[in-house]
Amino acid sequence: MLLIVGYVHVDPTDVPQFIANLKKLAVSTRKRAGNFAYDAEIEGLAAGRLLISERWADQRALTAHLNAADTASETE
């Protein structure tokens, strides 16, 4: 199992759009084979700091997610 936890820093003015995109991505990500969890929490709205955590069955499942077209388009 792979656990991925880290912070994403976004310009505070871009946080609402980033969260909207992240919500769309989360819906599809949670349906992917090998995904056990995909979550985000705003830790500092004024600073644009979000905590992201993911749990995957293995590297193969994570790689498939990272290579999926909607992953790239929603995080741009």
Side-chain angles (χ1 to χ4, degrees):
M1 181 180 312
L2 296 176
L3 300 173
I4 300 167
V5 179
Y7 288 99
V8 174
H9 295 272
V10 180
D11 185 302
T13 61
D14 294 331
V15 169
Q17 184 60 54
F18 184 85
I19 291 172
N21 291 347
L22 191 61
K23 284 181 180 181
K24 289 180 197 174
L25 178 61
V27 169
S28 62
T29 298
R30 290 177 181 136
K31 295 177 185 175
R32 292 205 168 112
N35 178 260
F36 299 128
Y38 189 86
D39 299 292
E41 179 180 333
I42 300 171
E43 288 209 343
L45 184 59
R49 180 177 159 134
L50 294 91
L51 176 65
I52 308 292
S53 64
E54 305 177 35
R55 193 165 44 132
W56 295 91
D58 52 30
Q59 184 62 52
R60 185 175 173 192
L62 175 59
T63 299
H65 161 67
L66 294 174
N67 291 331
D70 64 334
T71 300
S73 68
E74 292 298 338
T75 57
E76 291 178 345

